[in-house]
Amino acid sequence: MRSKFNKKAKQTLNPGGPKNIVFAVVFFVLCLGLLTKLTDYSRKVANIPYSAFLQKVEEGAVKAVNISGQDVYGEFKDGNKFETVIGDYTKNWDLLRTHGVEFSIANPSSSLSFWHILLLVSFLMTPLAIWYFIKQAKGSGGSGGSGGGIFNMGKSRAKLFMPSTIKENFNSVAGATEAKEELKDVVDFLKNPEKYKRLGAKITRGVLLIGEPGNGKTLLARAVAGEANCPFFSVSGSDFIEVFVGIGAARVRDLFAQARKAAPSIIFIDEIDAVGRHRGSGLGGGHDEREQTLNQLLTEMDGFETTNEPVIVLAATNRPDVLDKALLRPGRFDRRVDVPYPDLVSREQILNVHIKNIKMDPTVDIKKIARGTPGFSGADLANLVNEAAINASKQHDRSDVNINDFEEARDKILLGKELKTIMLTEEDKKVTAYHEAGHALVRLLQPIDTDPLYKVTIIPRGKALGVTHSLPEREKYTSSKEEMIHEIQMCLGGRAAEQLIFNKLMTGAYSDFKAATEIARKMVCFYGMTDNLGPVVYSQNQGEFVYSQKTAEKIDTEVQNILEDCYKKTYQLIIDNKEKLEKLANALLEKETMYASEIYELLGITPRQDFKLN
Ligand code: ADP
Ligand code: ZN
């Protein structure tokens, strides 16, 4: 079905139709625009932060500047060129004058004329472009799949960074201990591909870095390249999406060919969801192109299996849920690395990385700043330091940054963040801490057959305010009644803790109840785990109940009984261990994320102690 559709879609794009001429014109203009942009970027001009610019002016290191609107282009006395963006330039006249900087002002609108000329030129050249387009398209026999399209359209747009230009290594990434640990294998493979070849070991070729923007996915990928000392091809998923069917696929092919040539090497695909969305989910014609691109990506990754070149593909996304399942199969992106919002300790470490080049007032307590910035991403923290430095130099004309500068910067960033994400009040945080502590405690006190506790966090993520993770020790194919009961009790632990401590009922436990109810219903309907209903499967067939109303009522009663019984026992368990609950909740408020071992130590219990819940 799908392939048929493909062919049809391709035909509408075959050369010759009047539609294509319009396409060609638009395309050519775009191309030219892009080209100028690219050459613009490739100029050797350092882009420096505004704060650095001011500092350089004060040091007398700046020779001359040209100001156009908020853009500043300038030259240092040592001949190097730079550019920066300024807030309000009228305030800088005196500063520039006192430090003897030559300055001139350009009318920002005059740069438009450049674009006018560009447009004119491209329209004049359009006939030529059309001729080229038709000739090339014909030559390659249809538009699908051909890599040699006009003007290198099928060439990959990836930026290549040679090892000598990559300054990042694992030390540049603060916190993210788990992610770094996971990526060590990858580095080792890139460094010693021969070893792996000799051993015939299966290694991961694709790693999915999962996390919200600004938490260091790109940074980690570059750090891997830095550690392995190998070339780094960087591209964004959206770079593959084009109007023309086949161009994206050709770019993928070209990118992988280049990477193979440069092997050992790394391909980094940012925002992979742009190409990797599950197939058949697009609207209109655009998705046909994306499917081909995705298929090409899958083909290239499967190719690794036979060719053995040490090329690793790292891909970043914050939407793993929308990815096509085919991408996640073994041999493709079969490893997932979480890059979460930083916890308290990580935030402190990230801040310490970013204040390295800044003069700090000695009274500034970084730990305190870290404590006051829950929910900040790594990028937010970098921004915080930058803003604080600007506050110090611009607003207060000081050279060292003090705590007030940080407070001001934080308020400003928070204001921007509040619009986008939930910010927890102290009260919310406290409730969440007790709630998660409740889950964790139940899990800890459960006997050996349940999944061991892994970590607990009260850092909000998506809709969840906190999460308690357990890690299965092995794949489980069957569960006993006991295990299912324990699972339900673990689900209810959050609410039980809330009820005991705050003595009121809150809405946060909805998804816990849903999960618990589902398990209980399965016990009753599928596994015959109740005495009253016996070993019968009560299923729903295509939405229709295949059992009587009376049975339905019985089922509901049984489910309710199980849940109520479980809740009672869970509540009692929490009461009996209130002291531990308090301890754990308070520790969570302090640390935000805790691993099982820390919790065992804190509570003084041996791992997997055989406590009986009955
Ligand atoms: P992502 O790719 O996840 O959107 P980036 O890697 O682009 O995030 O991070 C943006 C910036 O935030 C980085 O360049 C760095 O300055 C800062 N940053 C993020 N995470 C960290 C970290 N763990 N340590 C140090 N800096 C970080
Ligand atoms: Zn919960």
Side-chain angles (χ1 to χ4, degrees):
M1 272 274 289
R2 197 147 57 213
S3 62
K4 230 181 200 164
F5 187 71
N6 271 355
K7 267 187 203 128
K8 241 194 200 150
K10 251 187 251 166
Q11 259 153 25
T12 60
L13 281 171
N14 267 351
K19 228 180 178 175
N20 274 303
I21 297 181
V22 180
F23 266 0
V25 175
V26 174
F27 163 62
F28 188 72
V29 174
L30 285 180
C31 252
L32 247 158
L34 217 121
L35 222 81
T36 44
K37 265 244 172 90
L38 278 179
T39 46
D40 219 23
Y41 280 131
S42 61
R43 274 183 304 140
K44 283 246 165 64
V45 176
N47 206 327
I48 61 170
Y50 182 47
S51 57
F53 166 64
L54 288 181
Q55 202 180 338
K56 288 285 183 195
V57 171
E58 271 160 5
E59 285 169 13
V62 178
K63 183 169 169 236
V65 293
N66 183 307
I67 304 175
S68 168
Q70 290 191 303
D71 297 330
V72 176
Y73 306 93
E75 196 181 337
F76 291 125
K77 288 201 172 134
D78 63 10
N80 283 328
K81 297 210 163 74
F82 68 90
E83 58 185 4
T84 187
V85 177
I86 57 175
D88 184 1
Y89 58 83
T90 50
K91 288 197 186 137
N92 291 312
W93 302 146
D94 286 335
L95 185 72
L96 293 176
R97 208 175 296 140
T98 33
H99 291 92
V101 180
E102 274 178 52
F103 62 96
S104 55
I105 317 293
N107 183 353
S109 61
S110 72
S111 59
L112 261 181
S113 63
F114 168 73
W115 281 96
H116 289 151
I117 293 171
L118 176 73
L119 245 116
L120 203 77
V121 170
S122 35
F123 271 109
L124 288 176
M125 286 178 74
T126 299
L128 192 72
I130 296 171
W131 175 73
Y132 239 97
F133 179 68
I134 293 175
K135 191 179 154 213
Q136 293 279 335
K138 267 187 188 151
S140 61
S143 49
S146 125
I150 69 169
F151 296 138
N152 295 337
M153 256 193 107
K155 282 271 151 60
S156 124
R157 293 233 185 114
K159 287 193 212 82
L160 167 62
F161 298 87
M162 290 315 279
S164 58
T165 66
I166 300 172
K167 287 180 211 81
E168 291 87 347
N169 57 26
F170 279 158
N171 286 333
S172 342
V173 190
T177 330
E178 265 180 285
K180 284 193 275 190
E181 200 54 47
E182 296 253 7
L183 290 167
K184 273 193 184 134
D185 289 353
V186 172
V187 172
D188 190 47
F189 168 65
L190 288 166
K191 273 176 152 169
N192 314 299
E194 289 308 318
K195 179 175 101 188
Y196 287 81
K197 211 176 193 173
R198 238 183 7 250
L199 296 171
K202 268 240 178 301
I203 35 87
T204 309
R205 311 316 287 267
V207 180
L208 208 54
L209 303 168
I210 300 172
E212 299 296 319
N215 280 324
K217 298 184 293 296
T218 311
L219 185 65
L220 268 166
R222 290 180 64 92
V224 170
E227 290 283 333
N229 198 27
C230 71
F232 182 75
F233 293 85
S234 171
V235 70
S236 170
S238 52
D239 290 347
F240 293 117
I241 305 302
E242 288 292 335
V243 196
F244 297 100
V245 173
I247 297 292
R251 281 193 190 140
V252 170
R253 200 164 26 234
D254 185 54
L255 171 61
F256 276 77
Q258 283 187 46
R260 284 204 177 91
K261 235 182 268 164
S265 63
I266 292 176
I267 295 176
F268 175 62
I269 307 177
D270 202 2
E271 293 171 36
I272 190 161
D273 34 295
V275 260
R277 233 162 239 272
H278 63 89
R279 281 165 288 189
S281 68
L283 300 168
H287 84 274
D288 199 42
E289 152 72 353
R290 212 189 54 219
E291 269 182 26
Q292 280 204 15
T293 310
L294 175 56
N295 285 337
Q296 189 61 40
L297 183 61
L298 296 176
T299 311
E300 296 290 346
M301 293 198 70
D302 292 344
F304 285 143
E305 204 144 325
T306 46
T307 53
N308 271 325
E309 281 113 341
V311 176
I312 292 281
V313 190
L314 302 176
T317 182
N318 61 344
R319 295 295 314 275
D321 50 314
V322 302
L323 292 182
D324 197 294
K325 292 288 165 289
L327 267 174
L328 308 175
R329 276 194 207 123
R332 294 164 183 173
F333 292 99
D334 50 11
R335 191 177 299 191
R336 301 161 66 112
V337 171
D338 268 321
V339 190
Y341 279 106
D343 61 8
L344 181 62
V345 177
S346 302
R347 289 203 299 273
E348 188 184 339
Q349 290 166 347
I350 294 173
L351 285 166
N352 278 324
V353 166
H354 289 281
I355 58 168
K356 252 182 208 149
N357 300 320
I358 282 181
K359 230 206 247 160
M360 297 281 283
D361 186 298
T363 59
V364 173
D365 179 358
I366 289 296
K367 203 174 223 135
K368 203 164 151 204
I369 298 174
R371 202 168 287 143
T373 47
F376 275 47
S377 68
D380 291 332
L381 294 169
N383 191 15
L384 178 77
V385 173
N386 195 34
E387 289 277 347
I390 290 177
N391 286 346
S393 70
K394 194 169 113 186
Q395 311 251 17
H396 308 293
D397 213 13
R398 264 185 280 102
S399 63
D400 46 3
V401 186
N402 69 23
I403 191 72
N404 286 333
D405 302 323
F406 273 99
E407 296 283 343
E408 277 170 38
R410 188 188 71 141
D411 290 347
K412 185 173 163 196
I413 294 171
L414 271 181
L415 218 66
K417 275 179 83 66
E418 226 147 70
L419 308 173
K420 282 181 288 176
T421 50
I422 30 170
M423 292 307 298
L424 293 185
T425 62
E426 281 302 309
E427 179 69 11
D428 289 334
K429 224 176 132 180
K430 203 170 156 199
V431 176
T432 309
Y434 274 97
H435 179 103
E436 296 308 326
H439 283 306
L441 203 57
V442 172
R443 176 105 297 174
L444 280 182
L445 299 175
Q446 279 173 342
I448 231 90
D449 60 1
T450 53
D451 297 330
L453 182 71
Y454 172 57
K455 75 170 179 186
V456 187
T457 171
I458 56 165
I459 298 173
R461 175 169 179 176
K463 275 190 214 141
L465 300 185
V467 187
T468 300
H469 298 273
S470 308
L471 208 63
E473 282 171 311
R474 58 200 152 87
E475 290 282 341
K476 274 195 192 155
Y477 299 102
T478 57
S479 302
S480 68
K481 180 175 171 181
E482 291 247 286
E483 282 172 278
M484 294 180 86
I485 292 276
H486 287 144
E487 207 55 44
I488 294 175
Q489 291 176 332
M490 144 94 177
C491 288
L492 299 175
R495 162 58 71 85
E498 280 177 36
Q499 194 183 349
L500 178 66
I501 302 298
F502 302 97
N503 194 25
K504 56 181 178 185
L505 303 181
M506 278 160 279
T507 54
Y510 166 70
S511 57
D512 293 337
F513 288 162
K514 211 169 128 193
T517 311
E518 232 156 72
I519 301 170
R521 194 164 274 283
K522 274 188 194 153
M523 289 173 64
V524 176
C525 295
F526 298 161
Y527 306 129
M529 286 174 178
T530 55
D531 298 333
N532 281 342
L533 285 159
V536 181
V537 171
Y538 301 100
S539 59
Q540 286 179 12
N541 202 352
Q542 295 177 342
E544 269 187 58
F545 296 98
V546 292
Y547 41 80
S548 67
Q549 178 63 31
K550 220 165 146 193
T551 310
E553 278 165 23
K554 267 197 208 163
I555 291 175
D556 288 342
T557 316
E558 284 297 327
V559 170
Q560 204 179 344
N561 285 344
I562 293 179
L563 290 174
E564 267 172 17
D565 189 51
C566 281
Y567 188 74
K568 250 188 244 151
K569 284 176 183 153
T570 310
Y571 192 62
Q572 191 56 48
L573 184 82
I574 296 281
I575 291 179
D576 294 345
N577 292 279
K578 188 172 172 202
E579 221 173 278
K580 289 193 170 73
L581 180 78
E582 299 268 3
K583 233 183 187 172
L584 180 52
N586 284 324
L588 270 174
L589 278 171
E590 177 79 12
K591 295 190 176 160
E592 296 178 3
T593 296
M594 288 179 82
Y595 287 89
S597 56
E598 296 171 78
I599 299 176
Y600 290 134
E601 203 185 307
L602 175 80
L603 301 180
I605 39 182
T606 22
R608 322 300 328 264
Q609 195 169 48
D610 208 346
F611 246 93
K612 269 286 175 230
L613 263 185
N614 40 63

